[in-house]
Amino acid sequence: MAARQADVVLVGGGVMSATLGMMLRQLDPSLDIVMVERLDHVAHESTDGWNNAGTGHAGYCELNYTPETGDGDVAIDRALKINAQFEVSLQFWSYLVEQGMLPEPNKFINRTPHQSFVWGEDGVKFLKRRFERLSKHHLFRDMKYTESLDELGEWMPLVVKNRQAGEPIAATRVEYGADVDFGSLTRSMVDYLQSQPNFELMLSSPVHYLDQRDNGRWKVRVRNQKTGELTKLEAGFVFLGAGGGALPLLQKSGIKEARGYGGFPVSGQWLVCQKPEIVKQHDSKVYGKAPIGAPPMSVPHLDTRIINGEPALLFGPFAGFTTRFLKQGSMFDLFGSVRAANLRPMLSVSKNNMDLTRYLIGEVFQSHSDRVASLRNFFPDAGEDDWELKMAGQRVQIIKQDEGGRGKLEFGTEIVAAKDGTLAALLGASPGASTAANAMIDVLERCFPEKIKSPEWQERMKTLVPSYGRSLVDDEALLTKVRERTLSTLKLT
């Protein structure tokens, strides 16, 4: 059977692959692109609305992006970087909306104020210092801070009502924060791609074989799980955007750059309330500080969500220990990822992170009452019968080999690309989907270096993302210009 020839194969039907597909389609409409997805529809794993926080991660409310330093100060560099990266996503989505390639913004993004909330003297001291540091920078100039009970009652009524009298509390707020339904966004992007020539979507088709030919092109074999049909693909470029499934596929590729990488899987659960009389009283995302030893994905937050057009409140996520790399994966995923090259890094991470492992196992055995007790730190009047437990998505944190051959647990996202630029994979978790546009620009620059330097691609990139090639962290006038456009286009004001 002759192989189906393609220019690009996108593995995984999530937000990363869809974003890269949309960018490539605008940069070169002649490219023949094939997207393969192991499930029977796209955006059903980490990208699905119920499987992530839906927070447009901009650093406005996520306290783990601004850690305290040893001298009592607050480090803000990571928050600045993530905020600028999210602004890139907003610019790209704005372009797609303006061109009619995405539906009305409220189908996938809605204005939802981003707030940080703390209690206790130490928490208030930290948040005030964080506000002082961030609000001096133009990216965060619209942030507000208060310790006023009356103002807090307006900002977050459920959180403030019937709190313990005399307890120090404080909050920050950014009005134009966003709730993003990444599932709906991704499905809309894939719908558009399917309406264009030179694009094929293959569902229920996991990758069974991945190997590079002597001429540099990649052989990819997928088998349809419903019909049993085997399809042979051959492409000049392969992107592994399969969420937790990206690491095993990267290992299949055999590229030198994949050596030493491992994965630390973490599961998640939400407490969910869909009772209209409660949901309508809360219209924001309220983030607190993570418990000591918790992974970043477990920063507690009480969120307004709009998923597939339906409003709800979510609290969590409650992390848990798992050996699956995907929500619909196998319990043997972790063990199957062990290789000679990553055995030492994985063992050293396991040894050095026993507190994290114990924390995750402890989370698994919490009762419903235990979880609601945690919720009452944010919503004192929460009733157990108003909330139900739902599974969130799986996340695979990166285990990366250090210079000494040991392993380090990384809590972020990372692009791993072959030296010849013919294959790239995205590994890791938070901030993930929120920075998809910036991450895929990184893929383009590393894997299509000559094309993206061409005048044609440079001009098109600046059309897709007007700030392309310049720093929003350093250029206040540029930030003001692009933010005015995106907030208006996406109706976040």
Side-chain angles (χ1 to χ4, degrees), residues 24 27 236-237 417-424 440-458 461 468:
L24 287 170
L27 293 168
F237 174 71
K419 184 178 181 180
D420 63 5
T422 60
L423 181 142
M440 294 307 98
I441 289 173
D442 187 13
V443 170
L444 293 172
E445 291 177 338
R446 295 173 64 178
C447 298
F448 299 83
E450 297 305 318
K451 286 189 174 182
I452 204 162
K453 291 176 185 175
S454 69
E456 295 80 12
W457 277 40
Q458 284 285 307
M461 280 303 307
Y468 177 71

Side-chain angles (χ1 to χ4, degrees), residues 346-411:
M346 292 181 72
L347 288 175
S348 66
V349 163
S350 298
K351 178 182 177 182
N352 296 330
N353 289 273
M354 288 304 298
D355 287 346
L356 173 59
T357 303
R358 282 192 289 268
Y359 169 81
L360 296 175
I361 293 173
E363 288 279 283
V364 171
F365 291 103
Q366 282 196 93
S367 66
H368 185 64
S369 295
D370 291 334
R371 294 187 176 97
V372 174
S374 298
L375 167 61
R376 288 181 180 137
N377 287 321
F378 288 78
F379 179 11
D381 291 345
E384 290 187 17
D385 295 340
D386 296 328
W387 298 78
E388 62 178 326
L389 193 66
K390 286 195 175 185
M391 290 299 299
Q394 304 288 99
R395 298 289 184 271
V396 180
Q397 311 291 352
I398 303 167
I399 294 176
K400 189 175 181 179
Q401 189 172 10
D402 63 19
E403 294 180 356
R406 295 178 295 274
K408 180 182 178 183
L409 194 59
E410 301 278 354
F411 294 107

Side-chain angles (χ1 to χ4, degrees), residues 25 55 82 89 108 128 167 173 180 197 211 244 277 282 309 325 356-357 370 415 457 460 471:
R25 177 58 71 227
T55 302
I82 289 172
S89 291
F108 67 92
K128 189 172 184 178
E167 180 184 36
R173 178 179 174 96
V180 187
D211 190 47
E277 66 273 19
H282 186 80
F325 279 2
L356 173 59
T357 303
D370 291 334
I415 300 293
W457 277 40
R460 289 174 184 171
S471 170

Side-chain angles (χ1 to χ4, degrees), residues 274-334:
Q274 293 179 287
K275 292 189 173 182
E277 66 273 19
I278 298 175
V279 173
K280 69 181 181 181
Q281 297 181 62
H282 186 80
D283 182 26
S284 66
K285 292 179 179 288
V286 179
Y287 273 58
K289 295 190 76 172
I292 296 174
M297 67 165 284
S298 296
V299 174
H301 43 98
L302 179 62
D303 284 9
T304 294
R305 297 298 310 276
I306 300 176
I307 302 174
N308 300 323
E310 296 296 323
L313 291 185
L314 274 64
F315 178 75
F318 297 93
F321 182 78
T322 181
T323 56
R324 299 176 190 269
F325 279 2
L326 293 164
K327 190 172 181 178
Q328 299 188 45
S330 165
M331 61 187 294
F332 298 106
D333 287 342
L334 174 59

Side-chain angles (χ1 to χ4, degrees), residues 160-182:
V160 174
K161 186 179 178 182
N162 292 331
R163 294 199 73 82
Q164 180 179 335
E167 180 184 36
I169 55 176
T172 56
R173 178 179 174 96
V174 174
E175 294 285 351
Y176 46 73
D179 174 64
V180 187
D181 183 348
F182 288 106

Side-chain angles (χ1 to χ4, degrees), residues 415-437:
I415 300 293
V416 181
K419 184 178 181 180
D420 63 5
T422 60
L423 181 142
L426 185 130
L427 303 179
S430 180
S434 297
T435 58

